[in-house]
Amino acid sequence: KYEWEPMPHAIVANPMDMLTAKPKNELMNERSFEVDDWVIDNRRLASIVRIGYGAYAGEARVVRPDESPSEFTAGRWTRIAGLLPISLPMKFVVTPAEVATANDPPVYIAKGTIITLTGFDNDGDLKVLIDGHAGRHAIFMHDAVALQCAS
């Protein structure tokens, strides 16, 4: 027989959960995400493909834009507390030498250029505004790995 005292300020539905219950203030600080949510993970764009439970509670499996979310081994587990929700419009900076837009003809975006993510098109590619270039542009999703959150 095991005996324990309830944790102060714990939120529990089942008395057996008191062994692993979190204080209210910890639960309030955790963000709530769902599968297919776009987030910022380590200043990079990522999509949530799985929410952890059991040994992975408090974690989410995220994939980068150049990874296939349908592959079970794609992505990595990361703490949900470290993820930031996408808040449109959101500024990013181009990090490699250059990125080409999906426009015809393409616009070549130089390293260090600030772009503003305004949404996603019907194909799942990024709709962006580019500093110094008039109009709306698209960036292929797989090229979004070249972007780093500017804020």
Side-chain angles (χ1 to χ4, degrees):
K1 181 176 176 180
Y2 295 97
E3 293 184 13
W4 63 87
E5 291 190 20
M7 294 176 62
H9 310 292
I11 298 175
V12 291
N14 177 343
M16 293 304 290
D17 291 341
M18 284 190 238
L19 295 172
T20 58
K22 293 183 178 183
K24 241 186 218 184
N25 61 343
E26 280 185 44
L27 288 173
M28 301 293 189
N29 290 333
E30 285 191 17
R31 293 181 174 91
S32 178
F33 294 108
E34 297 178 8
V35 170
D36 293 331
D37 280 352
W38 283 98
V39 296
I40 302 298
D41 177 35
N42 292 324
R43 300 192 67 193
R44 302 288 181 169
L45 192 61
S47 177
I48 296 178
V49 292
R50 285 192 286 289
I51 303 290
Y53 61 91
Y56 291 95
E59 295 189 13
R61 190 156 187 100
V62 296
V63 294
R64 300 284 181 223
D66 62 342
E67 296 179 299
S68 172
S70 61
E71 289 184 29
F72 188 76
T73 58
R76 67 182 189 87
W77 288 102
T78 189
R79 300 286 312 154
I80 289 174
L83 300 175
L84 298 174
I86 293 289
S87 175
L88 298 176
M90 185 170 247
K91 293 196 178 292
F92 288 84
V93 62
V94 175
T95 56
E98 68 180 11
V99 171
T101 66
N103 300 35
D104 188 20
V107 172
Y108 293 92
I109 311 168
K111 178 179 182 173
T113 301
I114 301 292
I115 66 160
T116 304
L117 174 63
T118 60
F120 300 89
D121 67 15
N122 292 336
D123 295 326
D125 297 318
L126 286 70
K127 294 191 305 186
V128 301
L129 301 174
I130 305 168
D131 285 2
H133 293 276
R136 298 190 177 273
H137 304 273
I139 295 177
F140 289 120
M141 181 56 72
H142 63 269
D143 289 331
V145 295
L147 306 177
Q148 185 173 344
C149 185
S151 44

